[in-house]
Amino acid sequence: MAHSTRYLTEEDLIAMADYLKVVPAIKTDDYLIPINVSRLPQPVSDSITYDLLEQKDYLARAKTNNVSSANNSGLNSNTPKDLYLIHCASCHGVDGYAQPDARYASIVGLSSIRRVKPDALVGVIAFGAKGAFNTAPKMPGFSEDLSPAQIADITNYVRVKFGGLPNSDVIAADVIRVIKEKS
């Protein structure tokens, strides 16, 4: 499917477009929340998305700072930001813009994290995702490594930080429901 449409004639493309215009929309209570661009994060630096060493150094400093503040406050649990940095940032980037040269997906403003129902995002975090092409990296699932509460924390962090949503209220029970439905 990835390269098939490039072989279509102009007439075929017009016919497909005409057909798609008359297909009725499917009514659903799940829809995209409009993106608020002003709430999206700016890249940490102009080069960090493409400079893997700069990203690695930033990630190491961020992890050290978060661990130090947690130790100083007497907390043993990881914050949602800590969970993201530990489990997600090495691929999706410390700022959500990923590593395009390594074919990792940027998640900033991604439509799947702005859905009213976050089930698809929860499912991807829990079970992973195959790359779009055979050469693309495959995202691992974390349902065996993280608790439902931790997956909910990462889901909420990603939706607010990188989706530009004002809030997100996914809880462990939502994660448990999605895991049961997809198992």
Side-chain angles (χ1 to χ4, degrees):
M1 180 151 183
H3 302 291
S4 64
T5 56
R6 72 179 177 167
Y7 299 109
L8 294 175
T9 66
E10 187 72 23
E11 294 79 28
D12 290 337
L13 292 171
I14 291 170
M16 287 173 64
D18 288 342
Y19 169 74
L20 291 173
K21 289 177 186 176
V22 298
V23 173
I26 297 172
K27 301 288 185 202
T28 177
D29 59 349
D30 187 21
Y31 57 90
L32 282 179
I33 299 168
I35 193 163
N36 181 346
V37 178
S38 68
R39 294 185 57 88
L40 295 178
Q42 296 301 310
V44 170
S45 76
D46 290 336
S47 64
I48 200 166
T49 300
Y50 297 95
D51 184 343
L52 300 182
L53 293 176
E54 181 183 356
Q55 191 158 159
K56 180 180 173 254
D57 293 343
Y58 178 90
L59 185 56
R61 283 193 309 275
K63 285 180 180 178
T64 301
N65 290 342
N66 285 343
V67 168
S68 296
S69 22
N71 289 341
N72 292 338
S73 66
L75 298 175
N76 292 328
S77 62
N78 292 316
T79 67
K81 180 179 180 180
D82 294 336
L83 291 168
Y84 176 82
L85 290 174
I86 293 165
H87 299 285
C88 312
S90 60
C91 297
H92 293 293
V94 296
D95 54 10
Y97 286 96
Q99 301 171 20
D101 290 346
R103 301 195 66 179
Y104 289 107
S106 171
I107 57 175
V108 175
L110 195 63
S111 61
S112 62
I113 65 177
R114 295 183 291 110
R115 298 209 71 81
V116 168
K117 292 184 176 183
D119 294 11
L121 176 60
V122 170
V124 168
I125 295 169
F127 298 111
K130 294 181 180 174
F133 303 102
N134 289 339
T135 58
K138 292 165 182 47
M139 181 174 157
F142 293 97
S143 64
E144 301 293 321
D145 302 321
L146 299 173
S147 70
Q150 290 172 314
I151 292 174
D153 284 346
I154 291 173
T155 301
N156 290 327
Y157 180 79
V158 165
R159 285 169 52 88
V160 171
K161 178 75 175 175
F162 304 120
L165 301 181
N167 57 46
S168 179
D169 58 357
V170 177
I171 59 173
D174 298 325
V175 174
I176 292 167
R177 177 186 50 78
V178 169
I179 289 173
K180 283 182 181 174
E181 287 174 1
K182 295 190 184 271
S183 293

